[in-house]
Amino acid sequence: MSSRAPWIVFGSALAGYLAVGITLSLRFGFILGDALSRTAAAQAVLLSRDPHVSAIGFIFTPLTGLAQLPMVAFASWWPAITRWNISGITVSAAFMAGAVVMVHGICRDRGLPGRYRILITVVFAINPMIVFYGANGMSEAGFLFLLCWAVRRLIRWVDTDDVHDLLLAGIALGLAFLARYEGVVPIALAAVLVAVVTACRRGREHWKSMRRRAVLDAVLISGPGTAMFLVWITTSWLITGEALAQLSSSYGNTAILTQSGGASGDLVQTTAFSLGALIALGPTLLVTFPLAVVLATRRRDLEFVVAPLLFGGVLAFQAGSYITGSTFGFLRFFICAIPLAAVVVVQLFPAAGDLPTRRAGAYRRHRPSYPPMRTRAAVAAAVLCVSALPITAWAMLQPSLSSQQYALGYLLAGDPSAADSEATTARRVIDSFATERELAAYLDGQALPDGSILVDSVYGFAVLAASEYPRRFVIPSDLDFTQILNDPAAAGVRYLLTVPNEGRGVSDAINRRYPTIYDNGAQLYPLEFEIPNTGADQPDWRLYRVPA
């Protein structure tokens, strides 16, 4: 196997995802809000009027935003980096290309023949959901890469007992938490898995002697993630007064759910959606998973347990969260079904050859020699992989399943007629931040000094990211924001950029300080003009002037 193969896989995937992402952004203006808000946070760290690292924010975990900093640093010279989310697209493309490399590595570690290795890798790489989230700057790409890395290293550890594999898996899981909060789930499950495997390696008669090593191995796999979790929540508490701002902050997910009218309380509906999302993204699992369980049992193949436990744990957590009404029903939350389906197909093939390793442990398992997989069976597995692509593509275009992706089906359509409500809504989704870009361009055209526009980032992140002059804005991450909010005129603020005091707008700091400002300027500030919004779920803006 050529040592250049992983780099060829990475480079090819990276180029493809970058091409798709830049086309979606520059050609169609299709940018997702969560991705753009992370870019705006990275911009605040470096280019705001009060730059500091904690401006990255504590609602989202920081990895995706921090990874953008090297590119965002150049946005002063090339504002398109933030305006069109090019920094976010580059980061997600690199992470998703890394996930493709990890899937390819799992195939190689299993000893798959070259043609099946290439096929499974390509099918994973071109899955429509993988392509879209490798190309849009969202955090799913980083999370998938790190989770795939952890799964690969844990699969290797089951056979090699190499502490290097265990440590690398632990680091990957820790970083996965910094990509998305649900990373705590595989950290806990991996600790249990590793402890059980270690304790059982010499049988019940040696249980007592293996308990200490089992605890040590569990600490090695969970230690990095636990440390990152504690450092993150402690830092958040020290700076903001909230350890888990995602749950307790007025900007967090729990508050957004309340402001949006709450999640569906229909148990049947939420369960049906969760099952539908799993089937849509991992349709082959209906056939391959039971077959893989049977084969793994016959072969006594402990490798099989890793992927269903880690990926499956995340999927169960997401389904449970939605069913209990603590999160939204987004198809992307079930994206782990795609790498799970790929790994399960890989493990239908018998393991071939011992894994090369840096330093094998005392309990290394030598792979038994199984007859090669029959050609018909291998071809059937390959066909199943390919058949998943149109199913996932179809699901992504269904508004009932895919509220954030279905607009992709209307990218090449012309202007919809007023009678076609679905097409009109899709067009508004595609144009979500066109109004904010126009507003930013207008404000950039004014001869304004730094710190002259007061805005909250609840909705204002899109304006901030699109602006060539982010230092002109006073934003919540500025250390003097509250002082300026209380007396804008004394601080030299000239404009207040406001949104309706409803829905998510109730958490806007300007609305909280001046509850009637959007309606009447709080009877303090004259209206400069109103900007109707063409984007889906985006507010109409009003710009109020601060008298000198």
Side-chain angles (χ1 to χ4, degrees), residues 178-204:
L178 294 182
R180 292 190 63 84
Y181 278 107
E182 55 264 37
V184 297
V185 176
I187 290 172
L189 293 174
V192 173
L193 171 66
V194 166
V196 171
V197 170
T198 299
C200 294
R201 272 179 163 153
R202 293 184 62 187
R204 291 184 178 179

Side-chain angles (χ1 to χ4, degrees), residues 458-470:
V458 172
Y459 285 110
F461 65 86
V463 179
L464 298 169
S467 176
E468 293 185 31
Y469 306 105

Side-chain angles (χ1 to χ4, degrees), residues 5-300:
W7 290 105
I8 293 172
V9 171
F10 178 82
S12 301
L14 176 63
Y17 298 146
L18 278 174
V20 173
I22 291 173
T23 300
L24 287 173
S25 179
L26 296 182
R27 169 67 178 83
F28 299 104
F30 193 2
I31 303 173
L32 296 189
D34 282 357
L36 196 60
S37 66
R38 286 176 168 88
T39 298
Q43 181 191 55
V45 171
L46 298 176
L47 304 176
S48 66
R49 57 181 290 276
D50 184 18
H52 53 280
V53 176
S54 64
I56 201 72
F58 294 91
I59 302 301
F60 297 124
T61 44
L63 182 65
T64 305
L66 292 175
Q68 295 186 49
L69 292 180
M71 284 194 70
V72 169
F74 294 96
S76 295
W77 292 276
W78 189 31
I81 289 174
T82 57
R83 178 182 298 132
W84 298 104
N85 196 34
I86 291 175
S87 59
I89 291 167
T90 303
V91 167
S92 68
F95 276 138
M96 197 63 88
V100 175
V101 171
M102 289 301 117
V103 171
H104 179 267
I106 291 170
C107 295
R108 183 178 61 187
D109 292 344
R110 189 71 175 176
L112 265 65
R115 59 187 181 276
Y116 297 118
R117 186 186 314 160
I118 293 171
L119 176 64
I120 292 172
T121 302
V122 169
V123 169
F124 173 79
I126 66 173
N127 184 290
M129 199 74 172
I130 295 297
V131 172
F132 185 56
Y133 281 92
N136 62 19
M138 296 284 278
S139 60
E140 276 74 14
F143 185 66
L144 279 190
F145 161 62
L146 294 163
L147 199 52
C148 287
W149 184 20
V151 166
R152 183 187 177 194
R153 283 295 169 176
L154 270 179
I155 289 174
R156 289 177 56 87
W157 173 81
V158 168
D159 276 341
T160 65
D161 191 31
D162 186 344
V163 69
H164 298 92
D165 288 324
L166 199 61
L167 285 171
L168 286 173
I171 292 170
L173 288 171
L175 292 172
F177 164 74
L178 294 182
R180 292 190 63 84
Y181 278 107
E182 55 264 37
V184 297
V185 176
I187 290 172
L189 293 174
V192 173
L193 171 66
V194 166
V196 171
V197 170
T198 299
C200 294
R201 272 179 163 153
R202 293 184 62 187
R204 291 184 178 179
E205 63 274 14
H206 300 283
W207 165 251
K208 290 184 179 180
S209 65
M210 293 300 290
R211 280 188 302 181
R212 181 174 298 177
R213 176 167 176 171
V215 171
L216 177 60
D217 284 351
V219 170
L220 286 175
I221 189 69
S222 63
T226 302
M228 292 178 194
F229 173 78
L230 292 175
V231 168
W232 175 249
I233 65 172
T234 301
T235 303
S236 177
W237 177 72
L238 290 172
I239 293 176
T240 69
E242 296 173 309
L244 289 171
Q246 179 69 275
L247 302 178
S248 57
S249 170
S250 60
Y251 297 100
N253 192 62
T254 301
I256 293 172
L257 273 168
T258 302
Q259 295 154 12
S260 302
S264 171
D266 187 332
L267 179 62
V268 175
Q269 180 183 348
T270 53
T271 302
F273 176 88
S274 300
L275 291 175
L278 287 171
I279 294 171
L281 298 182
T284 60
L285 290 170
L286 295 173
V287 177
T288 58
F289 188 80
L291 180 58
V293 170
V294 172
L295 291 174
T297 303
R298 289 180 179 177
R299 299 166 180 165
R300 297 184 179 179

Side-chain angles (χ1 to χ4, degrees), residues 55 75 164 176 215 271 298 308-309 323 347 380 395 458 490 495 507 528-529:
H164 298 92
V215 171
T271 302
R298 289 180 179 177
L309 187 67
I323 291 170
Q347 292 180 330
V458 172
Y495 294 107
S507 64
E528 188 76 6
F529 61 81

Side-chain angles (χ1 to χ4, degrees), residues 276-365:
L278 287 171
I279 294 171
L281 298 182
T284 60
L285 290 170
L286 295 173
V287 177
T288 58
F289 188 80
L291 180 58
V293 170
V294 172
L295 291 174
T297 303
R298 289 180 179 177
R299 299 166 180 165
R300 297 184 179 179
D301 188 357
L302 287 176
E303 292 181 16
F304 173 75
V305 178
V306 176
L309 187 67
L310 268 61
F311 290 127
V314 173
L315 292 169
F317 173 80
Q318 295 289 14
S321 298
Y322 180 52
I323 291 170
T324 57
S326 57
T327 192
F328 293 98
F330 292 151
L331 189 64
R332 62 185 172 93
F333 289 164
F334 298 87
I335 198 170
C336 284
I338 299 172
L340 173 58
V343 176
V344 168
V345 169
V346 171
Q347 292 180 330
L348 293 177
F349 292 79
D354 287 341
L355 288 170
T357 186
R358 181 175 299 180
R359 187 179 66 194
Y363 297 97
R364 174 172 187 163
R365 287 166 50 90

Side-chain angles (χ1 to χ4, degrees), residues 454 488 493-498 510 517 525 542-544 546:
L454 186 67
V493 172
R494 297 190 184 180
Y495 294 107
L496 304 178
L497 194 53
T498 68
I510 301 176
I517 190 165
Y525 307 107
R542 287 181 181 173
L543 187 70
Y544 286 94
V546 179

